[in-house]
Amino acid sequence: MKHIALAVGIFAVIIYLLGYQQKTRKRIIILNATSRILYILQYLLLSALEGAVLDVAGVISSLLAQKKDRPFIKKHFRIFVIGVNILIVLMGLTVYKNICSLLPIFGVLLHTSAFWLTDEKRIRQVSLLGCPFWLTYNLLSGAYGSVIGDLLSIVSLLVALYRYDIKTGRKNR
């Protein structure tokens, strides 16, 4: 089972990394949501329930964030952002085991909060802040495919920040 989980985790990583190399916000979010579904499967295979539950919350938040320009969500933007963050915390607390259970909560809060932002540079910066939380959780839960992914995500995000934001001299909006 661990070998299957490792393979699923590595495939999820590939999709996730490709996401941050996309130029548009919409494509970043779609690939992120797809990778999260694969991460959920990996965590279930490893019996790492916190990771699975919080990735479900992450998928919900990512999909809502993708639709943030829809009139109803736009009108109630703050309510949606606050509501999704409360949902993430509540879902995380329902599977709380110990202090390490807080790591994926913080990771999901940062990663998904980034998608409510408009500026791609800020999306990459805030997403980068979530990586250490997931890296630590994945090491502790034995999700080694995801550990590799976390390390590669950090590199990918730094490359994307350089490629799209530093090299081009792009300013924040």
Side-chain angles (χ1 to χ4, degrees):
M1 200 60 80
K2 288 187 179 187
H3 296 303
I4 295 170
L6 179 62
V8 170
I10 289 172
F11 188 58
V13 166
I14 292 167
I15 302 286
Y16 181 78
L17 294 176
L18 288 173
Y20 287 110
Q21 295 305 314
Q22 304 304 306
K23 194 166 185 169
T24 66
R25 177 182 172 277
K26 182 178 180 179
R27 289 186 63 134
I28 292 171
I29 293 171
I30 288 170
L31 288 176
N32 183 274
T34 303
S35 72
R36 284 187 182 279
I37 291 167
L38 293 169
Y39 282 125
I40 292 165
L41 178 58
Q42 171 201 228
Y43 290 126
L44 290 173
L45 290 168
L46 292 170
S47 299
L49 195 56
E50 302 101 324
V53 167
L54 284 157
D55 265 338
V56 168
V59 168
I60 293 167
S61 178
S62 296
L63 293 175
L64 285 172
Q66 181 185 2
K67 299 179 184 307
K68 77 176 198 158
D69 292 328
R70 297 260 170 102
F72 184 77
I73 294 176
K74 200 173 200 176
K75 182 178 179 181
H76 304 287
F77 183 79
R78 286 183 192 249
I79 293 170
F80 271 93
V81 173
I82 292 168
V84 165
N85 286 334
I86 290 170
L87 176 69
I88 289 167
V89 171
L90 290 176
M91 287 178 75
L93 293 177
T94 62
V95 292
Y96 180 87
K97 288 183 193 172
N98 55 41
I99 195 79
C100 294
S101 299
L102 297 176
L103 296 169
I105 295 173
F106 293 132
V108 169
L109 284 171
L110 287 164
H111 280 169
T112 60
S113 291
F115 296 138
W116 290 95
L117 303 172
T118 302
D119 183 81
E120 290 84 1
K121 178 179 180 180
R122 289 284 180 230
I123 291 170
R124 289 185 273 273
Q125 289 172 333
V126 174
S127 293
L128 184 61
L129 294 175
C131 290
F133 294 103
W134 275 113
L135 175 65
T136 306
Y137 174 77
N138 288 326
L139 276 169
L140 295 171
S141 67
Y144 300 120
S146 293
V147 168
I148 294 166
D150 293 327
L151 295 171
L152 292 173
S153 292
I154 292 167
V155 171
S156 179
L157 284 161
L158 291 171
V159 166
L161 280 166
Y162 174 76
R163 186 172 155 203
Y164 293 121
D165 307 316
I166 295 170
K167 183 179 172 183
T168 62
R170 185 169 160 253
K171 303 287 185 211
N172 293 331
R173 292 179 198 176

